[in-house]
Amino acid sequence: MEYKGRENEDDLFNAFNEDGLMIGGVKVDINPITEGKTGTLATYLPGVESYLAEKQAMQKASALEAILEKTVTLTVAECGEFHSLGEFHENIASVEEAIAVWKSIPPERMNGIPSIGINIHTEGTEHYEDVEMDIFSGKVIDLEVLDYVPDITDDPKAIEVIAELIDKLPDIEVCGSLEKWQAAILASQIDQLSYDYDTYQYQDTVEDREAQVANITEDIRNGNIGYLNDFLNAVISEGVREGITDIFGEGVEIDGSEAVQTARRAKELLDKLAEYKPLAKVEELAEQNYNMIDNVLNNGAEKKEQEQIKGRISIKEKLAEKKAVIEQRDKAERILPEKETEKKSQREM
């Protein structure tokens, strides 16, 4: 929208878009421009169209990369040190099948220590390029060595398979924990959803994506997930509303609705967030009631928990504090002379 007047473009943009205008289930941005600063519609729109074409090309390239999916399978070796000695089974699809094969190897003729391993194959690559590693050997699952195998720890499916293996072998010894990788993967997935959900808003508010993921990871590990639950529930609600418009208003198939797919992603992450169980803090596990005055264990931990609850700030209070900071920043920016610079990508769109 081209206009004339002394009103600041950014102020008008924020005012017009703060309520989130929707037409037919489609989000609409109103972008006010002036000839003296941004230019006329005749000069401005060609640049936007060029940007859109470039953005579309990047999305197609990303889609092609996403096609190269990874397949996670299991292996069982009669001899973990030398797989060629004795039985060796590969391309095992499920944890249950791998355990059954492992148990079926006669112990009286075992050549070495039996093992269960994990294999990650990337579609379109040769099998000798696969990432393969024994996870369970003898009676021990060594998770500490995974620190040196990021190809496994960065793969959510691989972590899920290892977690299932641990769950289905309750009598084995486990060295280390999957907790830190589970939190990091979940944080990365939530961050990616946030980016895909509103890319321009994300780019305007997040300066360091790596730091953003690290902060989310830390919050997940510490149980500070209230704002994450709020975000995911909001995405689900909006996805359902837009999905209804797609299906009944536009005649789109349910699997063809981008809004429905986004809502599904958010629901899956919400479920994973609910299932995530961080390790209890050491100080909460330690016995702190040494004198046993009232025969109640861990008095210190209970007192600490009560102090934490008492000092906890609600999400509404956090949002109010954030709003105050933004208002102060906007007020300071209005005092400064308006910079003759091109708008950010979100403003352009």
Side-chain angles (χ1 to χ4, degrees), residues 198-210:
D198 194 336
T199 303
Y200 306 115
Q201 175 69 18
Y202 185 98
Q203 291 174 338
D204 277 354
T205 55
V206 178
E207 296 180 358
D208 188 336
R209 191 165 185 178
E210 185 176 344

Side-chain angles (χ1 to χ4, degrees), residues 283-284 286-307:
E283 60 268 23
E284 293 175 353
E287 175 56 64
Q288 299 185 36
N289 187 7
Y290 301 107
N291 295 324
M292 298 294 292
I293 297 175
D294 55 1
N295 293 322
V296 178
L297 299 180
N298 294 321
N299 286 333
E302 183 179 357
K303 180 180 179 181
K304 182 176 181 179
E305 182 178 356
Q306 291 175 349
E307 293 174 352

Side-chain angles (χ1 to χ4, degrees), residues 142-159:
D142 185 2
L143 301 178
E144 295 175 349
V145 73
L146 291 178
D147 281 323
Y148 308 99
V149 194
D151 288 326
I152 294 179
T153 57
D154 290 343
D155 191 305
K157 178 61 178 176
I159 295 298

Side-chain angles (χ1 to χ4, degrees), residues 16-69:
F16 290 154
N17 295 283
E18 63 182 358
D19 293 328
L21 176 62
M22 305 284 291
I23 298 179
V26 178
K27 183 180 178 181
V28 179
D29 288 338
I30 302 177
N31 185 29
I33 62 173
T34 57
E35 181 177 1
K37 182 179 180 182
T38 300
T40 64
L41 288 176
T43 59
Y44 177 69
L45 289 179
V48 175
E49 293 171 354
S50 175
Y51 174 82
L52 284 174
E54 181 181 351
K55 182 70 175 178
Q56 187 178 32
M58 293 175 60
Q59 289 176 338
K60 288 182 178 179
S62 298
L64 289 175
E65 292 180 0
I67 293 176
L68 300 177
E69 297 182 354

Side-chain angles (χ1 to χ4, degrees), residues 108-148:
E108 65 273 8
R109 64 168 179 78
M110 283 188 176
N111 296 295
I113 301 174
S115 65
I116 298 178
I118 193 166
N119 180 281
I120 302 177
H121 174 70
T122 302
E123 183 180 347
T125 63
E126 299 294 335
H127 284 283
Y128 66 80
E129 300 179 79
D130 292 358
V131 177
E132 186 173 311
M133 176 182 175
D134 286 345
I135 299 297
F136 171 45
S137 181
K139 292 290 185 179
V140 178
I141 287 184
D142 185 2
L143 301 178
E144 295 175 349
V145 73
L146 291 178
D147 281 323
Y148 308 99

